[in-house]
Each structure stands twice: as C-alpha cells, then as structure tokens.
Amino acid sequence: MQADSLAQLVELSPDAICVHEHGVLTYANRAALESFAARSADEVVGRRFTDFVAEDSRPAVVETLARLTEPGQASEPVEALMSRLDGSKFAVETVLVRLGGEAAYQVVMRDITAKKAAADALRYQAALVSHVSDALIATTGEGVVTSWNPAAETVYGWTAAEAVGRRASELVGAPLDLPAIRRGGGVAEAVHRRRDGAPLAVRVSAAEMNDGYVLVCADETARRRAEQNYRTVVASLDEGVLVMGAGGLIEAANPAACRILGVAEADLIGVPCHTLTLFTESGQWIPPDEMPSVRTRRTGVTHNGLVVRLRRPDGRDVWVSLTSRLLASDDPAAMAVVTSFTDITETRAISAQLAHDATHDPLTRLANRTLVLGRLDVRERGAVTVLFLDLDKFKVINDSLGHPVGDQVLRIVGERLRRGSGRDDLVGRLGGDEFVVVTAEVTDPGEVRALAEHLRAVLAEPIGVLGRQLHLDASIGVVLVGRDDRRSAEDLLRDADVAMYQAKALGRGRHHFFDVSLREWVQRRLRMEQDLRDAVHDGQLWPAYQPVVDLRTGEMVAVEALMRWTHPRQGAISPAEFIPLAEESDLINVIGKEMLRATTRELAAWRARGLDLTLKVNLSTRQLDDPHLVTAVQDALAETGLPAAALCLEVTESALMRDQEAAAEVLASLRSLGVLLAIDDFGTGYSSLAQLRRLTLDTLKIDRSFITGIAESRDAEAIVTSIIAMAHAVDLTVIAEGVESAEQLELLRALGCDQAQGYHLGRPVPAAELFGQ
C-alpha cells in the first residue's frame, strides 16, 4: 500500500520524472510525457534518454551521470536544455539519482523556461538602460534626479554620481515642466545644453512612474543638422527632385525641378503628378496610370534612368533621365515616392549628332561603311539588292584639278545618287570614290539593270567646276540577296566589290552581276598573292633572258631580263597573271629589287668571261613611285661590279606619261648614275617628240602590235618607218620587239631599225641555256 502511494505520488508529481537503464528510458511520469510532448508512454519508453537532451547540453549530462557511482547517490541541480519530440527546446533544472540496479538512473526535471525568460528580460532591460543611445533620466515628482544612465552622461557631460540628487533642469540647461509635457501628449522638442554650454536639439518624452517621472531625451542634433544639410544640398542640385505622397499629390519640389518643369513651386505643391505630360522615346504618350511614379507606388519597383520627353506648360519639350523609387524602401506600405530627373536635352542633341557623325560620311553626309554594314546586318529576311559604284578615272580629276575640286565632285555625286535612288533606299559612301546603294524595292534582275543604268545616267550629267564641264561614269557591281541568303554584311559588300572590279576589267562604264565564279577568282588571286609573297623568299622566282640582236651585224648585243615563276604545285605561272598581281599588291618593289640584284650579278659574271652584253631590265609604274629606287640601282651596281653603262632600264610609255614631271625627276636621278634609259611599248601612249627629247632617253622600243602586221599592212609599215625616223632624229637607238618571222626581220633591217628581239631570234631562257655552261 505504501509502495502504491509512492508510485502515485511520482506519477502525479508536477516535476518531470523518468527512469532509464543502460541509457534506455523505462519509465516517464505524466509531467515527463507532457514535457516531451508525447501522447503516450509508448512514444518515449524504449528510446535513449540522450535523444531528449539537446546536443549542446549532452556532454554535461553524460559527464554528471558518469560521476554517480553508488546507489542512492544524487547530483547537484544541473541546468540543461532538453528536446521535445517535435524538435522544440525547453530549459530544465535536473537532479540525477543513481538507483540500485546496474546502470539505472532516475532523472527529476523542473521546467525553468519561464524563470530563465524573466531573468533574461531583467538582464535585457538593464542592458538596454545601460547601452541605449538615448538619455534615460528618472526623477521625483519635483524633478530631482534619481537615476542617470550612461547615455545621459555622454549626452550632457555629467556623471551619474554628479547628477543624482540634483534637479534635472539644472543638468539639462533648460526648464523642464514635466506636467506640461505630459499634458501636451508626453513628447516635446527642446533645446538643451551640455555641461560645456554646447546647444543640443532634443526630443523629450516624459512618462509618469510611481511618484515621479521617467524622461527619454533623444539627442537629435546630428539628425537635424543632417536634415538641414540635406535640404541645402537638394535645393542646390541641378537634378530635379519631386516627392509624391501616398495620394499621388506632389508634396515637395526643389528649385531645379521647378526650373526644368517650367512651373513655380507654389503651382506644383498639391498638384497630382499625372498632370505632367510625358512621352516615351518612341513618341508615345504615357497615360496617368503608367507614369513612372504611379507604377512605383503600385509595384514598389524602382525605375532607374528612364529617358522620357516632358512637355512643359510653355509648349517646350525637354528630354529628361528619370529615376522613381519609394521614399522609404524599407516600408513599402508608406507609398510615398521620390522622383528625380536630369535635363539631358542638350546632351541628347550632342549624342544624336555624334551618333549621326559616327555613321555618316562627313564629306557627303551619306551613310558611311559602319551604317551600311549595320543596315545589311539587321535586314529582314526579304530580298535586297546591293549596288557597289566606283567612279571611273576620278583620280585624274583629283590629281589634275586638286583635292578641293575632287571633294566638290564627290559631294555632287552623293547628292545625285540620293536623288536617283528610292526614298527608302540607303545610299552610302564607303571611302574614296566608292559608293553603295542598298534597296529592297528593286530586286528583279531586269529592274536592277534598269536602276544601274539610271544611276550611271544620273552621274553622267556634266558637272560644271572651275569653268570646266566634267564628265563622269561609274562601274557598278551588283549583288542580288535572296530571302534565305545567309551571307554576312561584310560578305555582301565584298561580293559587290568583286563584281564592280569585274565591270572595270570588262571596260569600265558598265555594271556586272556577282556570281560564285567571281568569288572563286578572287579567292584564287588571294591565294596566288600569298604564294607570290612566299615565292620571293623561297627562290621560286628566276630571271629568263631573251637576246637582243644588232640588225646590221646579226650579233647578240644585249639581253632582256624577264621574270619567271615556277610554282611548287602549279608549275609555271604566266607573267601576264602574276606581274599585275605583284603591282597591285606592291610586291613589285620587293621583287624588282631582288631581280635587279640577281640579274646584275649574273650578267657581271658573264661579262667577266668575255661577253660584252648590255642588260635590259623593266621598271613598272609602281617602281617609279618607289623613293628607294635610285638607291637600289646604285647598290646593285656597287655590289655586283656591273658597269652602269651596261645596264639599260626600260620604262613603258604609259608610265612616263602618267606623271611627266615626277617621271622626269626619277629618270634624271637614274641618268646621274650612268645607266641607259629606254622607253618601252612605244606607240601605245600619247608621247611626243618634244617629250622624248626632254626625258633624255637612249633607246626606243617599238611595241609588238606594230611589228605583228608590218609585213601585211602598209599602214603598219608607214607607222614603223615614222617611229624609226623620229627616234633617229633625236639620236635614239630603235629596237623592234615581237619579231616572229624572217620576213619581219628583213623588212625592219631595210627600214633602218637598229636592233630587234622576238621568238624568231630567241625565246627567253635561263642564262645557262643562253650562254652555255
């Protein structure tokens, strides 16, 4: 009976009691089950006791159990943190008792959660009073200080020991009518003074407590100074600032906002923000419910850097960059919005001008290459046509009349192309005298041909400049771009350029459509140009020599050095193919110098063996423009030992007539070295007897076109007779080139020609084959 009563007392104990053996719970009273949040003992019994001990407390509990070694031995009360079945924690004060059985323990737990919370609250309040930044002052009903926290010491400069027992009004340097503050709502703004006399802007809150008052004195000196500084800064900003309240009315506006909007402050305050008239960059009116400030108030989303056009009351449009955000971003429910904006009207105008300048040719104001490529890149997948125009012989105008005249002509050409194209067509200048027209209106091949000829006709109208009537024509390359064409903008311009060059090659003043074979031709030329660059350094270029015979004696008196190229894969490449390529790519200067050194060295060696021959070397137009030509000739003669009089440099008639003054200057410099000079291909240009005399030449070579028909045509014979007579009149040696028959040779001898060369007299061959080993 006594045992039953004891068991009932344990079961009904308000303290949680449980028993565990070997760490496994065997019993838990009702209070323990409630503490563990268990509905029945089955949820607890059989589980390990440590499952209900929070991880942080587990080591201390286990260590305490280990110290209980004797039956009946109990621990001192231990604070621990326990875990409920739902994972929540609760604090207990527990006593652990060793029972008689092996490794059996009784655990008595008293929930001290509320006790700890109360203690923590007291500690928190004490810490708050000690560490709060506001001065907390307790007084009697008569205003005598009974408590003075550390913040009060900092704010007013009096220590707590000095303050307690004195009147609060003396310590704060101002009257304190605490009942009046209470009657006024418990809060008042005041100016207090520190111990050193410095003024303090203070917000005083007063509350009655027991027989006295508690004062909270918040030092707002820094905040009010910051607010004043803020107001000053905002007023001086060039950026307009508007504050809209929760109702959408304008509550504040700085001077810049009034200036930009063109409205006085008095006329802005209290006005709904949607009375302002705004437009998007595309010109669409922004309705009231889509105004940036309204959208920010509705969604809480900040809008940064919106560019809008604002219509002022005076009708003037102003472009602004606008930002709209909640005034209190941490309190979206407040719904006040601040909108700031900067007048970018002038900046936008400058940017627009810069953007225009970046995409337009400064001379003609047409689209430049950048804009043309951009338009082709973003073209819709519809058919378009690209016409690439290059003015024929424009360089003659530029060189003869000067660049100012050339610029004027280019401006006129640009204007004519603009007028001659469709309204939606893009007309551009790519540079120099190259223009382009991009049209989506004309895509049928027949219509494109008509457009190309129309543009040529527009350009062909006479241009009056400096009292002269100038006549222009153009070569036009055409690219038809289909709906599914995937070529890039660069590819389209490249293909149009290729077609234009083909039009020039076919005789200028015409148009030509691009096809794939043209691209393959260009690619072959590019490959050949690279191969030619490699050939210069790899020894693939070599000189062949063609004999020049004296018609009186029949003996070989000179040899003409002719360049040959043996390609490692393609074999012999025709000079007619690679020489123009070398001239276009400026490789001719490098190749010419290499060939000059090689041939002068070779002929010097043969002359040393007794062959009294003259070396004839061709100079291209590009070589005449090379400022280092004279030095290269001088160095070659010095290095090889070939006498200057044994070297004859041949220049074509067309090269001499291209720029007579410059040619005369170069030939004079070469003449000063002692070399001989010859005019080649005579009869194909427009030189006169006086010009030949002024150029101080030694030799004249009659072009093969006259020699070919000399035996069959009396006119050809008469022309050759006249050339020989004219040349002899100015003491020039005459050489006929392209002699291919004995009949031609005999006729030339009868006409008094001095020398001849051609396949009939000997083909170009390597030196070893011509002279023997």
Side-chain angles (χ1 to χ4, degrees):
M1 186 67 181
Q2 188 176 1
D4 291 341
S5 298
L6 183 60
Q8 189 171 9
L9 287 174
V10 171
E11 182 66 22
L12 298 176
S13 171
D15 292 334
I17 300 173
C18 60
V19 177
H20 64 85
E21 294 183 21
H22 299 288
V24 178
L25 288 170
T26 59
Y27 170 76
N29 72 349
R30 293 179 182 179
L33 295 178
E34 290 176 359
S35 297
F36 294 147
R39 292 186 297 270
S40 67
D42 293 340
E43 293 182 311
V44 174
V45 174
R47 296 187 58 171
R48 297 192 64 80
F49 169 66
T50 52
D51 289 349
F52 296 94
V53 182
E55 187 174 355
D56 292 345
S57 298
R58 202 171 292 164
V61 172
V62 171
E63 184 180 351
T64 301
L65 290 171
R67 288 200 297 268
L68 302 177
T69 59
E70 299 295 332
Q73 188 176 1
S75 70
E76 294 293 330
V78 177
E79 286 192 10
L81 192 64
M82 306 300 290
S83 292
R84 297 186 179 92
L85 286 173
D86 59 8
S88 60
K89 304 293 189 295
F90 62 100
V92 299
E93 185 178 73
T94 180
V95 175
L96 306 174
V97 181
R98 178 71 180 263
L99 301 179
E102 183 180 355
Y105 299 89
Q106 183 185 57
V107 182
V108 181
M109 297 171 288
R110 178 167 293 167
D111 192 333
I112 60 171
T113 303
K115 177 182 174 183
K116 285 182 65 67
D120 290 342
L122 289 174
R123 283 194 297 273
Y124 172 76
Q125 290 172 3
L128 185 64
V129 170
S130 297
H131 296 92
V132 70
S133 60
D134 293 337
L136 297 180
I137 306 169
T139 72
T140 65
E142 291 73 30
V144 176
V145 174
T146 60
S147 176
W148 188 266
N149 76 336
E153 294 181 333
T154 302
V155 171
Y156 292 104
W158 298 93
T159 66
E162 295 171 320
V164 174
R166 298 181 64 175
R167 297 190 68 83
S169 58
E170 297 176 13
L171 300 172
V172 302
L176 278 176
D177 189 346
L178 300 180
I181 295 176
R182 290 291 301 145
R183 289 193 300 272
V187 179
E189 303 288 341
V191 176
H192 292 178
R193 291 195 177 272
R194 284 177 51 84
R195 184 175 189 171
D196 59 9
L200 298 170
V202 180
R203 187 181 74 253
V204 181
S205 300
E208 293 182 280
M209 185 182 73
N210 298 330
D211 296 331
Y213 296 92
V214 174
L215 306 180
V216 180
C217 299
D219 182 4
E220 297 187 337
T221 307
R223 181 179 65 82
R224 293 188 189 179
R225 184 181 298 116
E227 288 177 350
Q228 180 59 42
N229 291 342
Y230 174 76
R231 283 192 292 270
T232 302
V233 169
V234 171
S236 63
L237 287 176
D238 288 332
E239 184 179 29
V241 179
L242 294 177
V243 177
M244 270 74 75
L249 301 181
I250 298 173
E251 297 180 346
N254 73 339
C258 299
R259 184 185 69 251
I260 296 171
L261 298 176
V263 181
E265 182 180 6
D267 295 329
L268 278 176
I269 304 303
V271 173
C273 64
H274 59 71
T275 58
L276 302 176
T277 305
L278 301 182
F279 300 88
T280 65
E281 285 192 273
S282 61
Q284 293 180 328
W285 173 66
I286 301 176
D289 59 347
E290 289 300 319
M291 299 265 300
S293 60
V294 175
R295 287 163 54 195
T296 295
R297 182 180 302 105
R298 185 171 62 242
T299 64
V301 175
T302 296
H303 299 282
N304 284 314
L306 293 177
V307 176
V308 297
R309 179 165 53 89
L310 186 148
R311 178 71 49 80
R312 290 164 43 119
D314 59 8
R316 177 188 163 201
D317 283 343
V318 179
W319 285 95
V320 298
S321 175
L322 180 148
T323 296
S324 179
R325 59 169 59 87
L326 291 176
L327 183 61
S329 57
D330 56 345
D331 185 13
M335 302 304 287
V337 175
V338 59
T339 297
S340 57
F341 46 93
T342 303
D343 186 348
I344 60 169
T345 307
E346 183 177 355
T347 303
R348 186 178 175 88
I350 294 173
S351 297
Q353 185 61 46
L354 290 175
H356 181 275
D357 292 345
T359 55
H360 288 77
D361 172 49
L363 179 64
T364 63
R365 311 311 296 166
L366 298 176
N368 63 8
R369 186 181 187 89
T370 300
L371 183 55
V372 171
L373 290 174
R375 180 70 62 85
L376 290 173
D377 270 334
V378 301
R379 71 185 188 273
E380 296 179 359
R381 286 301 172 186
V384 298
T385 301
V386 181
L387 298 97
F388 193 109
L389 299 90
D390 185 88
L391 302 181
D392 293 332
K393 298 182 180 180
F394 173 75
K395 191 175 186 301
V396 175
I397 295 174
N398 224 21
D399 291 345
S400 60
L401 301 180
H403 291 286
V405 173
D407 289 346
Q408 184 178 351
V409 170
L410 292 175
R411 282 191 289 268
I412 294 173
V413 167
E415 183 57 33
R416 288 184 177 182
L417 289 176
R418 186 186 288 112
R419 292 200 317 265
S421 302
R423 184 181 61 181
D424 296 326
D425 295 345
L426 178 68
V427 181
R429 178 181 175 227
L430 302 179
D433 58 347
E434 294 179 338
F435 295 83
V436 66
V437 175
V438 179
T439 177
E441 302 298 324
V442 182
T443 57
D444 176 77
E447 294 178 348
V448 172
R449 290 188 183 91
L451 174 60
E453 292 308 310
H454 169 67
L455 294 177
R456 284 189 55 229
V458 167
L459 297 180
E461 296 176 9
I463 298 176
V465 178
L466 298 179
R468 300 189 181 196
Q469 292 292 314
L470 303 180
H471 297 271
L472 293 176
D473 204 341
S475 298
I476 304 176
V478 181
V479 172
L480 300 177
V481 186
R483 184 180 300 276
D484 298 323
D485 197 314
R486 299 298 174 182
R487 281 177 289 181
S488 69
E490 289 282 3
D491 290 341
L492 294 176
L493 283 188
R494 178 204 62 198
D495 291 346
D497 191 13
V498 168
M500 181 274 295
Y501 272 108
Q502 183 66 8
K504 281 190 178 295
L506 294 174
R508 302 176 185 271
R510 63 182 65 204
H511 66 271
H512 192 82
F513 283 80
F514 173 83
D515 58 39
V516 177
S517 63
L518 278 179
R519 183 188 299 150
E520 293 172 350
W521 174 76
V522 170
Q523 291 172 345
R524 182 174 186 275
R525 282 176 61 84
L526 290 174
R527 288 195 300 270
M528 182 171 290
E529 179 181 337
Q530 183 56 52
D531 291 347
L532 185 57
R533 291 182 186 275
D534 297 336
V536 175
H537 306 290
D538 295 345
Q540 301 171 25
L541 299 174
W542 55 275
Y545 297 94
Q546 185 174 34
V548 179
V549 175
D550 188 310
L551 292 182
R552 291 187 298 272
T553 64
E555 296 180 355
M556 180 172 63
V557 293
V559 290
E560 181 178 359
L562 301 169
M563 197 184 326
R564 295 294 182 263
W565 180 13
T566 303
H567 194 281
R569 295 182 303 278
Q570 301 180 31
I573 305 294
S574 169
E577 186 173 7
F578 76 80
I579 293 296
L581 182 61
E583 291 182 338
E584 291 177 13
S585 61
D586 284 336
L587 282 172
I588 194 65
N589 291 329
V590 178
I591 296 173
K593 291 173 185 176
E594 291 293 331
M595 288 298 103
L596 182 64
R597 280 196 293 268
T599 55
T600 52
R601 183 183 301 110
E602 201 160 37
L603 194 68
W606 288 106
R607 284 175 63 90
R609 299 181 185 182
L611 292 176
D612 186 16
L613 297 175
T614 299
L615 173 65
K616 298 183 180 292
V617 177
N618 293 293
L619 294 180
S620 74
T621 303
R622 288 294 182 92
Q623 286 178 283
L624 283 181
D625 295 334
D626 184 1
H628 305 294
L629 172 62
V630 176
T631 302
V633 174
Q634 186 176 22
D635 292 345
L637 294 175
E639 290 174 11
T640 61
L642 182 71
L647 175 63
C648 181
L649 301 176
E650 299 184 351
V651 184
T652 63
E653 183 182 17
S654 58
L656 292 177
M657 294 303 105
R658 180 180 61 90
D659 190 339
Q660 299 176 32
E661 296 297 329
E665 185 176 345
V666 174
L667 294 183
S669 298
L670 291 172
R671 168 68 76 183
S672 67
L673 299 179
V675 300
L676 303 177
L677 299 174
I679 182 170
D680 196 5
D681 299 336
F682 186 80
T684 59
Y686 304 96
S687 56
S688 65
L689 183 63
Q691 289 169 329
L692 296 180
R693 184 64 179 172
R694 184 168 57 85
L695 292 174
T696 62
L697 300 168
D698 299 288
T699 303
L700 182 149
K701 296 184 74 172
I702 303 175
D703 186 70
R704 65 180 64 247
S705 61
F706 297 106
I707 305 303
T708 300
I710 192 173
E712 295 81 17
S713 170
R714 294 180 61 84
D715 291 340
E717 179 181 345
I719 291 173
V720 171
T721 300
S722 300
I723 292 174
I724 293 173
M726 180 181 67
H728 285 167
V730 292
D731 297 325
L732 296 180
T733 300
V734 180
I735 302 176
E737 58 182 352
V739 177
E740 297 183 356
S741 67
E743 185 179 5
Q744 292 172 348
L745 187 65
E746 289 303 319
L747 184 55
L748 288 169
R749 184 180 288 115
L751 294 177
C753 185
D754 302 308
Q755 299 172 2
Q757 67 183 99
Y759 282 3
H760 179 71
L761 299 170
R763 293 174 176 270
V765 294
E769 184 178 337
L770 179 63
F771 303 127
Q773 295 292 339

